[in-house]
Amino acid sequence: MDTSAKTPGGASFDVNEDALKTLLRIMQAREEQVRKGGGDKAIAKHHSRGKMTARERIDALLDEGSPFLEIGLFTAWDMYKEYGGAPSSGTVFGIGKVHGRDCVIVANDATVKAGAWFPITAKKNLRAQEIAMENRLPIIYLVDSAGVFLPMQDEIFPDKEHFGRIFRNNARMSSLGIPQIAAIMGYCVAGGAYLPIMSDEALIVEGTGTVFLAGSHLVKAAIGEEIDNEALGGAQVHSELSGVTDYRMPDDATALQTVRDLVSKLGPTHRAHFNRIEAVAPRRRAEDLYGIIPSDRAKPYDVRDVLSCIVDDNELVEYKSDYGRSIVCAYARVDGWAVGIVANQRSIVKDGKGEMQIGGVIYSDSADKATRFILNCNQKKIPLVFLQDVTGFMIGSRAEHGGIIKDGAKMVNAVANSIVPKITFIMGNSYGAGNYAMCGKAYDPRFIFSWPSAQIAVMGGAQASKTLLEIRISQLKREGKEITEEEQQELLRTIQDRYASQMSPYYAASRLWVDGIIDPAHTRDVISHCISIADNNPEFAPFNPGVIQT
């Protein structure tokens, strides 16, 4: 292995660092663009109405100086271009502290299409409710939305994971005793009107907040009645006549302060009490991660170097270190929290028989080891952290005859039935069934993030592009068409470009396959924050891994 990639100043380290910092600069520029929502003109128009923006409302609600773990910043990135786009899907949400208490906060961004709900907006709101339920967190809705985006109503309205599921979840959270508070700070229309009113308490802002099942234009069209929106469902109507809302607020600032007051009076919470001691700084700087991860994703590296930048120093106890070496399993501490780490090893290693194993590939012995380790962490109630850089399971006659499918199934079973919080980071490759075994989105991680260097796909780009090219050439030949070598190369480039765009972490983040794209240097802080959030839920289902073949 290239030792110059291990320390700052080494030739490979510096090349890697420059490449990753370039990715970070791109990410930061895109973050700045997305955080502007509908843009400066839309923000100015919003302010002219006496309204705070979604992000300003969240800032005012949070404890001063406390961190906000935003989820889904890049939701809808590069989507809905035919409608002018929908930055962050017109909704801002994350987890932050209100009077010292972790809360999920969901704020419609009315600078984006008047806060209208696109299909991915519904998915993002469902993710917010899922996090609240899994971690037993109060949820606060800051409502300012014109309702469903009608040109796409067929993709948001009737299905199980569409708009209506949100109100079902309102009811479920109420039955679970999870507090829900809604502040109506703008339009709240049609089916969306149920969200704040199915919350425990609802506030409405005078002059800007309105709630109705049908706005004035639809009322006139449907029954011929002429009435303006304020008289139909404004703050006075719902505070004095209908009794729909509980608190009438003069402005945004007062409404947000009242929400803070309500949260301050919530009863005590119980904790899971995951094991934590005083933190010790890692052996290496977090920023060293930039140089450790190769800019060429085919090159090997030792994942233990990655761990040395993340875990507390002298707190790494490796499980079965000489067995199943293509996966590193270890007990460790991160910011004092006890964790179980399952990480793909990208260096080329020898197995117990002295034979070379390809880095980033899961072999039978590695799957067997990881299964046992995951089961142990569940028995001990230790949260799991998965660090993905995986190209999949080993293939070929030797692997098949050795039972790779059986051993892979064991690992997938253990991951699927885990009851402890699972936090996943996609550092590099995340291909095929390797994504599943290493706790991809389908396996219910409490939180899942990617680095800017991540790629997520059913297989690597080179293999996939060549396979797709062969399929296309065969199809053309069946149609009686022949293409030249030049045409084949042009077709291959087109396929490669399309496939590469679909492997991008932004493609994944836009569709909420990951909760966000983070700076690798923030990984330790994010792990600690996520475990602190998960510690709010003391309830565990019985641990039953089901039938595991031996």
Side-chain angles (χ1 to χ4, degrees), residues 175-195:
S175 73
L176 292 169
I178 297 171
Q180 300 175 81
I181 300 171
I184 302 162
M185 312 179 86
Y187 282 121
C188 185
V189 182
Y194 288 105
L195 184 147

Side-chain angles (χ1 to χ4, degrees), residues 182-393:
I184 302 162
M185 312 179 86
Y187 282 121
C188 185
V189 182
Y194 288 105
L195 184 147
I197 309 311
M198 291 188 73
S199 299
D200 301 331
E201 294 178 284
L203 305 81
I204 188 167
V205 177
E206 184 83 46
T208 57
T210 54
V211 188
F212 33 67
L213 294 181
S216 56
H217 295 296
L218 182 54
V219 167
K220 182 177 180 181
I223 63 174
E225 181 182 2
E226 293 200 20
I227 189 170
D228 64 37
N229 285 332
E230 187 67 26
L232 182 64
Q236 180 178 8
V237 169
H238 289 308
S239 298
E240 297 180 12
L241 299 178
S242 72
V244 164
T245 55
D246 305 303
Y247 306 94
R248 183 175 172 181
M249 300 286 110
D251 50 41
D252 281 7
T254 307
L256 295 166
Q257 183 56 53
T258 303
V259 172
R260 286 183 52 81
D261 290 343
L262 292 172
V263 172
S264 75
K265 295 173 177 64
L266 294 175
T269 58
H270 302 287
R271 310 288 290 192
H273 294 296
F274 295 120
N275 187 299
R276 192 182 196 187
I277 62 173
E278 186 174 348
V280 177
R283 189 165 71 254
R284 298 185 61 168
R285 301 178 316 133
E287 290 76 15
D288 283 356
L289 288 167
Y290 303 154
I292 291 170
I293 300 298
S295 55
D296 180 352
R297 63 183 57 251
K299 286 188 176 180
Y301 64 91
D302 192 337
V303 76
R304 295 178 186 86
D305 292 330
V306 171
L307 296 180
S308 69
C309 303
I310 296 172
V311 306
D312 292 16
D313 194 15
N314 298 322
E315 287 286 354
L316 191 71
V317 180
E318 196 168 334
Y319 177 79
K320 291 182 182 288
S321 60
D322 297 324
Y323 177 73
R325 295 182 181 181
S326 73
I327 289 182
V328 170
C329 298
Y331 298 109
R333 289 191 184 274
V334 175
D335 196 28
W337 293 104
V339 298
I341 293 174
V342 182
N344 299 115
Q345 175 59 287
R346 283 305 308 266
S347 64
I348 299 172
V349 295
K350 290 183 179 180
D351 63 16
K353 299 175 183 177
E355 296 172 352
M356 302 306 294
Q357 292 188 345
I358 302 169
V361 176
I362 302 176
Y363 291 78
S364 282
D365 53 358
S366 301
D368 176 69
K369 176 175 79 171
T371 300
R372 288 284 302 277
F373 181 74
I374 292 165
L375 297 179
N376 283 342
C377 288
N378 276 273
Q379 292 281 27
K380 299 173 182 179
K381 302 297 189 291
I382 299 174
L384 284 159
V385 176
F386 291 84
L387 299 176
Q388 286 196 19
D389 193 347
V390 58
T391 54
F393 285 88

